[in-house]
Amino acid sequence: MKNLIKFENIFLNKGTVIEEVENINSLIYLNSFIKKKIIKILKLKISPKKLNLNKLHFYIRDNHLNKARLSLIDSINSDKNFRKNYFAVAKNMLENIIGNELAMQNKINISIQLPNNEDSLLPIHSDTWSGDSPFESVLWLPLVNCYKTKSMFILNAQKIKKFNDAFSSKKINSISDIYKKFKKDLKFIKINYGHYLLFN
């Protein structure tokens, strides 16, 4: 692995690190598991090797998306090996940046975005707004190549103080106001399958 101290500095300054997965077998396990479960949930007559997750929108209707996603999340969190393999894709980086005395949240989540479907989009947010610890870090693993609006945007760590000041200001009345104020500072993440994103 490359110089981990370099990644510590990148993480502190930018709030993000993108790197190749550390355990390809774990990635293969996760990908295969999800494809098999999607095939079962959607009752598809296709093999996991032939299922292209980039074309999932050809197999599922918008109004069935959330039910299928919740069923997939249940399957993921019922599998005793899923969490272990998820952690393994970035174990060294996590232990280097965060430490080796780690607690991992009980539930792994999955997001599925269909083209031109705004129902599954999340507005600008911070996990701390819904009670998560400000000291946690998030490991995000794409199952397809993600870029532009197929990905998600992140606020550069250099802008966090400005963001927090604006958020606590009485001039901000809604999430929409925050989005407008910081739109130019939000950068869509470009990340390919086979890599992970770690962010604060």
Side-chain angles (χ1 to χ4, degrees):
M1 171 166 275
K2 299 170 189 172
N3 186 343
L4 289 170
I5 293 180
K6 178 184 93 170
F7 289 112
E8 282 180 17
N9 293 330
I10 291 171
F11 190 73
L12 288 172
N13 291 322
K14 292 178 70 177
T16 61
V17 165
I18 292 177
E19 186 59 18
E20 285 184 40
V21 298
E22 296 171 11
N23 187 323
I24 193 67
N25 289 329
S26 287
L27 177 63
I28 290 168
Y29 177 89
L30 299 172
N31 184 289
S32 174
F33 180 93
I34 285 172
K35 284 185 174 181
K36 286 174 185 173
K37 292 300 176 183
I38 286 173
I39 288 168
K40 185 176 180 184
I41 290 164
L42 299 180
K43 299 179 177 151
L44 303 178
K45 294 183 177 174
I46 188 172
S47 72
K49 284 187 178 178
K50 291 192 175 176
L51 178 61
N52 182 346
L53 294 177
N54 261 313
K55 297 185 176 178
L56 195 57
H57 53 289
F58 292 132
Y59 301 106
I60 185 167
R61 293 196 298 272
D62 290 2
N63 59 341
H64 292 161
L65 175 60
N66 198 48
K67 186 177 178 184
R69 188 180 75 87
L70 292 174
S71 181
L72 182 56
I73 289 170
D74 282 344
S75 296
I76 284 169
N77 288 294
S78 298
D79 180 69
K80 63 182 180 180
N81 292 314
F82 201 93
R83 280 164 53 92
K84 177 179 74 176
N85 281 286
Y86 199 92
F87 178 66
V89 300
K91 179 179 184 291
N92 292 329
M93 187 69 74
L94 286 164
E95 290 183 346
N96 183 71
I97 289 179
I98 302 165
N100 59 8
E101 293 183 13
L102 296 170
M104 184 177 180
Q105 72 180 40
N106 289 330
K107 299 284 185 184
I108 293 176
N109 198 2
I110 190 163
S111 177
I112 303 171
Q113 320 277 200
L114 302 183
N116 304 313
N117 178 331
E118 296 191 1
D119 293 340
S120 58
L121 297 179
L122 284 173
I124 186 172
H125 72 283
S126 168
D127 291 349
T128 57
W129 298 351
S130 54
D132 287 11
S133 167
F135 304 105
E136 75 175 15
S137 292
V138 180
L139 176 61
W140 192 65
L141 184 69
L143 296 175
V144 295
N145 294 345
C146 296
Y147 49 89
K148 297 184 179 177
T149 57
K150 192 176 176 182
S151 184
M152 65 176 173
F153 54 69
I154 287 188
L155 182 67
N156 189 299
Q158 306 286 332
K159 304 286 183 180
I160 293 297
K161 183 179 185 322
K162 182 181 169 188
F163 179 86
N164 288 337
D165 290 345
F167 187 68
S168 58
S169 164
K170 293 181 179 176
K171 294 176 185 174
I172 299 291
N173 296 313
S174 67
I175 297 300
S176 180
D177 286 349
I178 287 184
Y179 178 75
K180 286 174 192 168
K181 185 172 180 65
F182 287 92
K183 187 175 180 180
K184 67 180 188 309
D185 298 316
L186 299 170
K187 304 296 180 195
F188 276 99
I189 297 291
K190 183 179 186 301
I191 179 170
N192 289 335
Y193 176 73
H195 293 70
Y196 62 81
L197 165 68
L198 184 64
F199 64 96
N200 64 21

